Amino acid sequence: MSQLWEYAPAPESRDIANLKPAYKMFVDGEFVEGSGEPLKTINPGTEEVLAEVSTASPSDVDTAVKVARRAYDRVWGKMPGTERAKYIYRIARLIQERSRELAVLESLDNGKPIKESRDVDVPTAAAHFFYHAGWADKLSYAGYGPDPRPLGVAGQVIPWNFPLLMAAWKIAPALATGNTVVLKPAETTPLTALVLAEIIQQADLPPGVVNILPGAGDTGAALVGHADVDKVAFTGSTEVGKLIQSQLAGTGKKLTLELGGKAANIVFDDAPVDQAVEGIVNGIFFNQGHVCCAGSRLLLQESIAEEFLEKLRIRVSTLRVGDPLDKNTDVGAINSREQLTKIQELAAAGEAEGAERWTSACPLPDKGFYFAPTVFSGVSQAMRIAREEIFGPVLSVLTFRTPDEAVAKANNTPYGLSAGIWTDKGSRILWAAQKMRAGVVWANTFNRFDPTAPFGGYQESGFGREGGRAGLEAYLDV
Amino acid sequence: MWAIDTAISMVDLTTLEGADTAGKVRSLAAKARRPDPDRGEVPKVAAVCVYPDMVATAKAELEGTGVHVASVATAFPSGRSIMAVKLADTRYAVEQGADEIDMVIDRGAFLSGNYGAVFDEIRQVKEACGAAHLKVILETGELATYDNVRRASWLALLAGGDFIKTSTGKVAPAATLPVTHVMLQAVRDWHRQTGELRGVKPAGGIRSTKDAIKYLVAVHEVAGPEWLTADLFRFGASTLLNDLLMQRRTQLDGHYSGPDYVTVD
């Protein structure tokens, strides 16, 4: 009888991804060969090579920026908002039409489970285009003066954790406000951004308005350092963010950075325990923990800590780790060997520093980059696993005695991107949310993303906001 | 098939109407013994649930068959009576031969925060039950919030209830999947803390095989596989059984049958 309850494999077909052997960069409305060294992108779930992708050299970057400047001067910068909206709306519709293809391709290239790319990444990407299409002709009412002007050419560099979604976060507001774009997707996950380029071509966007240049860090450096770029938007590590900030100092370019995080999830003793356990699991194991706003520190009130931890471990042990294309998979593959090594190194540091390690006994596939969900208890503020961003499925559990102690510990980090509060008491939510130094505070939920809500950080988590009315400011001359 | 047979074996076949007669109870008992007269291999249901004055009739029909006789008691369905009457009601049902007592809690006391009174009442009824199993009906439709359901569940478990049951069937909404989920969490937590296994019984509103299977999945996923037995999970239902039998036939025959091929009792 017990095998009656086993999950049968339910893999999504990889043919739906329409995978091609080679992908080219997208400049001036055409797919062209880059003059950089081509890169091979792999499927982190199996380690097989998916496709070869051409990359941009500094001279390609220069061409793309010139093209974007021309498109800005001649077409896009002058176009009325009502017209721009039509293009953006068309992109949104095309993302929806090709959503299944995009979801499968995203899971292949990134390693995230198909249920997540299908239910979160792709629909949210479309939602960002829909939302910003609505703003294009209403900028006069956004609170930035009667006729706010665009900045010009935006150079954008995005990370590998949400490849398509981050492209949408960056491109949609830039287009809505009348800027043109040169975007560099991450080295390990360029494919969905290039399918988005196909969609942009399908939508008949004027050539040069959006250009997509795959490449590694040097391509990104050439882009953000280009003299004719007016605006730089970067999402990625704090380390690289600092480099960009010092590179741009004194140039007058407008900059927004969305960097790392070490979010605290605070669970008070009156929180509904089972519901909170679900939220904590979602907060750290969603997208294999590759989320800058992941709830990677759990702060438990001491009176419920033991009971909570036990329930948490039982719940985590039911998470299914494996083939990203299987619809039953909860936790997919770590994006790269490099990232896997980093997670392993930090987890080892946690053990060495004396935290108690518990790792789910779930089976892992033989091939590919996988890391079993892990919970560290008995963690103290001084340990590396409480201070450094792990960016993997590893949760550090700390305890507190009073609300003030919880707030002090939660804020005791150089980061400040997100936070979570779990309590039945509304007044305590409001009190704690005000004390929290974080750009986003979730109450009795976690990892909710909506294009209408601004997202961004404090301190080493960066500055500037994306999404919502506040997010428009980053792309307007105000 | 396994799911359908398991669900059949968990049914508390129920008739709780003012119009109940000895004849009605006898025909229900016959159905309980042999749910599908054409197919002897169909499992018996778990129990027949009746009012106290019908217990003796049901007992006479079911003696020795393995089908339990359950009786509602404690001024069912409202619970609005004095303690002496409730206890007398319970003792009478047990004397008449009931194996299981389905009591209702005092929702008025619960909602006014008088949890102690609710607790004491369950305690006393449990004593009056003697060897009979006690199911505690929370009437979740009147408790209104999940927090209340959870609190009442815990109260009933602490006071010694062998089962916690959602509803009388006389109040809408009766059993729902989310409410049952909360109650399953309560018995699971009780098991983790004490090692004791206590049961859950959703009652009212579960009419189709598909619904029943959804509940079985919830039982497996929330409480655990050890709860997938009639000792720990029951369906309080009257119309559900016939749908289970029809779907069972569909599975075996490869085509749909119809309501004329199952008995209406």
Side-chain angles (χ1 to χ4, degrees):
Chain A
M1 187 205 89
S2 73
Q3 61 268 46
L4 242 167
W5 296 93
E6 291 297 313
Y7 288 81
E12 182 61 285
S13 161
R14 61 175 283 163
D15 295 342
I16 295 162
N18 279 331
L19 195 64
K20 291 182 287 194
Y23 287 79
K24 292 187 227 171
M25 61 182 208
F26 182 66
V27 178
D28 206 10
E30 300 291 337
F31 287 93
V32 294
E33 244 5 296
S35 50
E37 190 67 30
L39 62 84
K40 287 187 167 59
T41 184
I42 65 159
N43 175 352
T46 58
E47 300 179 51
E48 51 159 344
V49 173
L50 288 172
E52 195 173 272
V53 182
S54 74
T55 70
S57 67
S59 71
D60 295 327
V61 172
D62 188 50
T63 310
V65 173
K66 282 204 177 90
V67 163
R69 171 63 59 192
R70 195 199 61 216
Y72 175 74
D73 289 338
R74 295 196 189 160
V75 194
W76 198 251
K78 294 190 286 194
M79 190 184 279
T82 44
E83 295 302 310
R84 288 201 306 274
K86 291 179 190 169
Y87 287 105
I88 304 169
Y89 187 70
R90 212 178 291 161
I91 295 171
R93 291 297 303 271
L94 285 165
I95 291 176
Q96 288 187 320
E97 276 174 31
R98 295 177 68 173
S99 58
R100 204 164 161 212
E101 173 192 352
L102 284 165
V104 176
L105 187 63
E106 193 78 308
S107 283
L108 279 174
D109 200 18
N110 172 280
K112 65 177 67 199
I114 183 72
K115 76 176 175 192
E116 184 196 315
S117 47
R118 180 193 64 198
D119 299 343
V120 181
D121 291 49
V122 177
T124 316
H128 269 266
F129 280 100
F130 277 119
Y131 174 76
H132 285 98
W135 266 123
D137 62 349
K138 300 173 194 70
L139 296 173
S140 315
Y141 306 98
Y144 301 111
D147 185 23
R149 303 306 307 157
L151 293 163
V153 177
Q156 307 176 324
V157 178
I158 58 169
W160 47 261
N161 59 342
F162 293 93
L164 177 71
L165 181 56
M166 286 299 115
W169 275 35
K170 293 278 183 281
I171 295 173
L175 295 186
T177 46
N179 300 275
T180 55
V181 168
V182 181
L183 176 131
K184 186 194 88 68
E187 192 183 354
T188 58
T189 56
L191 299 185
T192 44
L194 292 168
V195 173
L196 181 63
E198 279 178 34
I199 286 173
I200 283 167
Q201 201 180 36
Q202 247 182 306
D204 231 0
L205 201 72
V209 173
V210 173
N211 305 278
I212 295 179
L213 307 180
D218 49 343
T219 311
L223 174 59
V224 302
H226 195 284
D228 205 26
V229 165
D230 301 294
K231 148 83 193 171
V232 171
F234 172 75
T235 297
S237 71
T238 297
E239 193 187 345
V240 175
K242 284 178 177 173
L243 287 177
I244 292 175
Q245 195 174 6
S246 61
Q247 192 184 355
L248 261 55
T251 61
K253 288 178 195 171
K254 199 163 173 172
L255 173 66
T256 45
L257 296 173
E258 203 267 87
L259 309 173
K262 192 73 190 172
N265 242 325
I266 305 176
V267 182
F268 290 102
D269 57 3
D270 62 342
V273 172
D274 290 285
Q275 192 187 334
V277 165
E278 289 301 317
I280 302 303
V281 168
N282 174 46
I284 183 63
F285 299 115
F286 172 71
N287 202 31
Q288 298 74 248
H290 300 332
V291 186
C292 45
C293 56
S296 50
R297 286 183 298 152
L298 171 61
L299 293 171
L300 292 176
Q301 191 147 11
E302 280 188 14
S303 50
I304 55 159
E306 208 172 309
E307 179 198 354
F308 196 96
L309 255 178
E310 192 196 337
K311 283 196 169 177
L312 182 70
R313 287 180 188 140
I314 291 169
R315 177 67 183 89
V316 174
S317 63
T318 64
L319 292 178
R320 304 170 64 81
V321 183
D323 179 9
L325 284 190
D326 193 321
K327 292 167 195 160
N328 296 323
T329 295
D330 298 309
V331 178
I334 303 300
N335 182 250
S336 62
R337 183 177 295 285
E338 189 194 353
Q339 186 59 29
L340 180 62
T341 312
K342 191 187 151 200
I343 297 168
Q344 285 163 341
E345 193 262 317
L346 272 161
E351 279 181 275
E353 287 183 314
E356 190 193 327
R357 177 178 180 159
W358 175 91
T359 295
S360 171
C362 62
L364 298 182
D366 304 328
K367 283 191 88 177
F369 312 134
Y370 293 94
F371 193 88
T374 294
V375 177
F376 278 102
S377 52
V379 177
S380 68
Q381 291 286 92
M383 294 180 185
R384 282 182 68 199
I385 51 170
R387 310 199 63 80
E388 294 179 28
E389 184 176 37
I390 300 175
F391 224 62
V394 180
L395 179 66
S396 303
V397 185
L398 300 91
T399 58
F400 67 91
R401 291 158 300 175
T402 63
D404 285 321
E405 189 184 352
V407 168
K409 282 185 167 171
N411 284 339
N412 181 217
T413 166
Y415 295 110
L417 194 52
S418 64
I421 301 162
W422 298 84
T423 170
D424 229 14
K425 205 170 176 183
S427 60
R428 190 177 285 152
I429 291 172
L430 296 174
W431 173 84
Q434 277 199 323
K435 300 261 178 191
M436 218 49 73
R437 274 202 324 247
V440 183
V441 180
W442 284 290
N444 292 332
T445 185
F446 209 86
N447 275 345
R448 294 269 180 172
F449 302 102
D450 187 307
T452 64
F455 184 91
Y458 270 65
Q459 303 191 101
E460 293 208 7
S461 291
F463 46 79
R465 293 290 177 263
E466 290 178 303
R469 192 180 63 81
L472 298 171
E473 191 196 336
Y475 291 94
L476 289 172
D477 185 14
V478 288
Chain B
M1 273 306 287
W2 171 85
I4 292 174
D5 281 353
T6 305
I8 292 172
S9 73
M10 290 174 168
V11 167
D12 277 5
L13 204 55
T14 303
T15 183
L16 294 169
E17 286 159 28
D20 283 348
T21 59
K24 164 84 181 170
V25 171
R26 273 195 285 272
S27 85
L28 205 67
K31 175 92 166 178
R33 289 193 303 259
R34 268 177 73 198
D36 189 339
D38 298 340
R39 294 166 200 256
E41 79 282 7
V42 176
K44 298 184 191 68
V45 304
V48 167
C49 185
V50 293
Y51 272 117
D53 60 337
M54 291 294 164
V55 168
T57 315
K59 191 70 187 173
E61 291 291 319
L62 295 169
E63 194 77 71
T65 61
V67 179
H68 288 185
V69 176
S71 169
V72 296
T74 70
F76 181 93
S78 70
R80 296 255 64 86
S81 187
I82 56 165
M83 201 57 217
V85 171
K86 293 182 185 181
L87 291 175
D89 203 15
T90 308
R91 286 195 198 99
Y92 174 75
V94 175
E95 279 161 25
Q96 294 290 303
D99 311 292
E100 302 173 359
I101 297 294
D102 290 25
M103 73 168 287
V104 290
I105 65 164
D106 184 344
R107 283 88 73 189
F110 183 88
L111 290 172
S112 54
N114 199 353
Y115 304 131
V118 179
F119 180 86
D120 291 342
E121 196 175 288
I122 301 171
R123 257 271 150 82
Q124 291 182 44
V125 174
K126 172 73 186 166
E127 269 169 38
C129 282
H133 267 226
L134 177 63
K135 305 196 198 99
V136 183
I137 304 175
L138 309 179
E139 195 63 299
T140 53
E142 290 182 350
L143 300 184
T145 69
Y146 295 132
D147 286 340
N148 277 347
V149 171
R150 176 70 191 228
R151 193 173 291 138
S153 300
W154 204 249
L155 209 58
L157 293 170
L158 280 171
D162 299 297
F163 260 76
I164 44 178
K165 175 175 168 185
T166 58
S167 332
T168 58
K170 308 289 183 195
V171 168
T176 65
L177 200 50
V179 154
T180 309
H181 191 111
V182 170
M183 291 166 65
L184 286 165
Q185 285 180 338
V187 295
R188 176 199 67 191
D189 290 349
W190 181 264
H191 172 61
R192 282 187 195 151
Q193 288 189 15
T194 65
E196 291 170 14
L197 292 163
R198 303 281 180 89
V200 175
K201 176 178 172 185
I206 305 164
R207 294 199 172 81
S208 69
T209 302
K210 203 170 184 177
D211 282 343
I213 292 174
K214 285 181 194 163
Y215 278 87
L216 291 182
V217 171
V219 171
H220 183 271
E221 296 293 318
V222 181
E226 57 269 55
W227 269 265
L228 286 169
T229 143
D231 293 335
L232 292 169
F233 193 77
R234 297 278 181 86
F235 291 106
S238 39
T239 46
L240 171 65
L241 181 59
N242 271 351
D243 193 62
L244 287 166
L245 295 174
M246 279 196 288
Q247 296 301 333
R248 194 178 186 281
R249 287 184 172 219
T250 304
Q251 294 294 317
L252 288 174
D253 302 348
H255 59 82
Y256 286 102
S257 72
D260 293 342
Y261 296 90
V262 291
T263 56
V264 177
D265 302 271

